Structures are given as C-alpha cells and as structure tokens.
C-alpha cells in the first residue's frame, strides 16, 4: 500500500503559495494512494511499506522517527482528513471583514458586497471607472490592478467577446453603484483557460473593487468617416503615406509629445486586424519613443486633437517579414484610421496606460492574443 508522508503535504502547501503545485495535483496523489493495489513503485515495499504497517497499528511515526503517514481508505479504517490552507490575502478594510451579501453567477464569478453605493448604477453600455487590486489565491499576492489612475472599462458586447477575463470583470461590475465596494472572484478555470503557455497557475483571482464613476462612453468616429477626400496628403520618401481627413485643433504633435488616438487597423484588402473602438480610451503613444512600430509613431507627427488621419505603413516601417498571428501576414502593408483625442506636449505629466498592471497579468480590456496592437517594434 502506498502512503503519503505529511511532510510532503507541508511542502505541497508551500508550493501552492508559489503557484507551482495545484490542489488538483494533490487530489490526484491522494486518490492514487487510496486506490493503489499495493504494488506502487517506490512506495509499495521497503521503508515506506514499514511506515504503513506502523500507521495501521495506530502509531504515528516510523522506527526512524519519520513524520506521520496517511493511508488510503480501507474497510473499518478511518482516513485522516487532509486540509491544505492557502495563504491569507491581505485585504484592507472594509474588504477584510464579512460581506453584507454574496452571490454566485452561472459562470462561477462570485460577488461579495461590502459597501452599497448611492450614486449612478453600472449597466450594460456604460463606462465604469474604478480602482481595483486583483490577488491570486495561490500566492496571496497582487497580480493586477489600477495604479496611478483608475481603470476604465466599457461594458459592451465587444469587450465581452474580446477577452473572457474582461467578460468576468463586466459581470462583476454590473449592478454596482458609485461609491460601492465589492469583491469579485474570477474562478481559476477562466484564468487558466486564457493564460499564456507555461504561465504559472494563479488559482482564483479576487478583485477588491471600488466604483468611482459611471459615464457614457466616447464613441469613436466610424470607418466610413475616413472615406472623405483628404484635405492634405503627404507621401514620404520612406514609403509612409499620410492622409489628413480633417484639420483638428490645437498644437501639432512633435517628437517627444504624447498622442492618444483611437484606431482601426486594416490590411490593404480591407480586412481588419485590430481596433481600439469599444475600449474606454484610445492608445497613448510617445512620438519617437519605444513600444510601437516605427510607422505608427511617424504617422502621428503633426497630428492635432480632433484630427482624423489615415496612415499607410509599408512593411519596412511595420512588422517587416514577421507575421503577426493569423491576421497579419509577413511583409504586409498596414492601414490605420486614426482619430486623435489628445495631444500632450513633451514636459507635461505623462499619462499612464489605462488600468496599468504587472506584465504577467492580463488587463480586463486587453486585445485578443491573435489580434496584435500596432505596438511591438523589432527587438521588443
């Protein structure tokens, strides 16, 4: 008969805190011990078999002073109950107390109400602005959250379809009122089904959420608004083509300035590979900075707030010979329809990315893995 040394279980509990060992692994091991026919490798004979004999006789340690053992369930034998306690998440008040109410949704998302708000209510179609911190139950450590500014999420079908975690977050926000505080549990099944390959298991994620505001979302201009004849055309020597559809207002963006723009990304055949439409805000880009393909940054030079601009980016200033998922073939010319919503001159306080979070944690409104943003530059 196989036996399990409780010292192993203590180690397993420690590994749970580092997300290297899951309760399912432990359950499988216990099940194997419970149903072993006595011929298990390494545990059916010799020293560990002797440990099993001592345990069967009511003793709790072997002759060499090893720790207690747990046997499989046998007739007329009471098995010891095993409990693995996960580390306690260090929630701050009021999230460290008992919730006023609790509700479990059909998809496994759990809602715990701590403070009932008195302001506007979150409903489908609105934009919610909120502070949140998400803790992994496996480690009790924060793995995502808002940092320098509140996160914003538009509660629409596009964002539900974009990402299952965003879908769960929308479910968690629905029904909250401004000033309310709620804990939202996103079950491990949703997290793990959408994690990158070889990502460590996080377990369930508990979000401590405080609702700041509810507002109507900004609706970017539709694609057909870019079909008008341009008021200005610039075909550059490097192959970049810039077509200004409207003038815009305010100072023109220069190198080092930060420009925020909603975008639709297409191939020359008209097929769309990505869009910021449906998200709470456009994408902030520092002209000449790192993090975007060269053509996207160059295409924002001279842009003004409110401007509609179409930018055609040759492969040399785009992704080059690198295919991007199954939506952008290698050596593709890219077409971006840009609506500039903000221009911040260099030296002004920079705008942090919406809902900024650690790199390993997906944001609620992140794009699909196979629909890359116009961001990664070579070598990044």
């Amino acid at each position: 008969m196989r036996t399990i040394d409780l010292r192993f279980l203590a180690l397993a509990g420690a590994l749970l805190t580092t997300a290297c060992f899951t309760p399912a692994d432990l359950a499988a091991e216990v099940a194997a011990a419970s149903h072993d026919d006595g011929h298990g490798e390494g545990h059916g004979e010799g020293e560990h078999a002797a440990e099993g004999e001592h345990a069967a006789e009511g003793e709790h340690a072997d002759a060499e002073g090893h720790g207690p053992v747990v046997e499989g369930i046998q007739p007329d034998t009471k098995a010891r109950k095993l409990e693995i306690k996960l580390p306690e998440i260090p929630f701050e008040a009021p999230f460290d107390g008992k919730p006023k109410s609790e509700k479990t949704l059909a998809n496994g998302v759990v809602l715990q109400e701590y403070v009932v708000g008195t302001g506007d209510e979150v409903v489908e179609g609105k934009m919610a602005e909120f502070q949140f911190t998400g803790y992994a139950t496996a480690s009790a450590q924060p793995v995502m959250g808002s940092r320098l500014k509140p996160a914003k999420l538009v509660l629409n079908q596009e964002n539900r379809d974009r990402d299952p975690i965003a879908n769960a977050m929308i479910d968690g926000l629905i029904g909250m009122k401004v000033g309310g505080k709620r804990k939202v549990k996103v079950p491990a099944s949703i997290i793990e089904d959408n994690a990158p390959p070889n990502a460590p298991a996080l377990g369930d994620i508990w979000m401590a959420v405080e609702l700041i505001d509810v507002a109507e979302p900004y609706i970017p201009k539709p694609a057909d608004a870019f079909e008008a004849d341009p008021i200005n055309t610039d075909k550059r020597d490097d192959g970049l083509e810039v077509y200004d559809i409207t003038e815009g207002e305010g100072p023109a963006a220069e190198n080092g300035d930060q420009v925020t723009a909603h975008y639709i990304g297409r191939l020359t055949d008209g097929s769309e590979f990505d869009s910021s439409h449906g998200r709470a805000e456009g994408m902030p880009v520092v002209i000449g900075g790192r993090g975007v393909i060269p053509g996207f940054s160059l295409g924002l030079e001279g842009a003004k707030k409110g401007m509609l601009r179409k930018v055609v980016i040759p492969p040399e200033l785009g992704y080059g010979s690198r295919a991007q998922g199954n939506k952008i073939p290698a050596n593709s010319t890219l077409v971006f329809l840009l609506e500039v919503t903000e221009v911040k001159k260099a030296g002004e306080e920079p705008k942090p990315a919406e809902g900024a979070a650690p790199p390993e944690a997906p944001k609620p409104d992140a794009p699909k893995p196979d629909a890359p943003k116009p961001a990664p530059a070579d070598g990044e």
Side-chain angles (χ1 to χ4, degrees), residues 363-377:
K363 293 182 288 188
D365 57 349
K368 295 178 181 178
D370 61 351
K373 295 192 301 183

Side-chain angles (χ1 to χ4, degrees), residues 169-192:
M169 195 65 183
I170 290 174
D171 287 338
L173 290 167
I174 291 288
M176 288 190 73
K177 294 183 178 181
V178 173
K181 296 183 179 182
R182 172 185 285 181
K183 281 201 308 199
V184 179
K185 186 186 81 171
V186 181
S189 57
I190 294 178
I191 303 296
E192 293 168 0

Side-chain angles (χ1 to χ4, degrees), residues 16 52 64 74 77 105 113 122 144 166 208 210 212 241 251 276 290 333:
L16 277 169
E64 297 182 5
Q74 299 295 321
T77 300
L105 306 182
E113 214 73 42
V122 177
M144 63 177 63
E210 178 181 1
I212 305 299
E241 299 179 13
S276 68
R290 299 171 61 85
T333 295

Side-chain angles (χ1 to χ4, degrees), residues 9-10 12-17 23 26 82-89 137-140:
L9 298 184
L15 289 175
L16 277 169
T17 67
L26 179 59
L82 305 179
E83 293 185 358
I84 296 296
K85 290 187 177 181
L86 294 171
E88 185 175 348
I89 296 175
T137 55
S139 64

Side-chain angles (χ1 to χ4, degrees), residues 59-76:
E59 298 180 17
H60 298 290
D62 65 14
E64 297 182 5
H66 290 178
V69 295
V70 178
E71 292 191 349
I73 299 176
Q74 299 295 321
D76 302 321

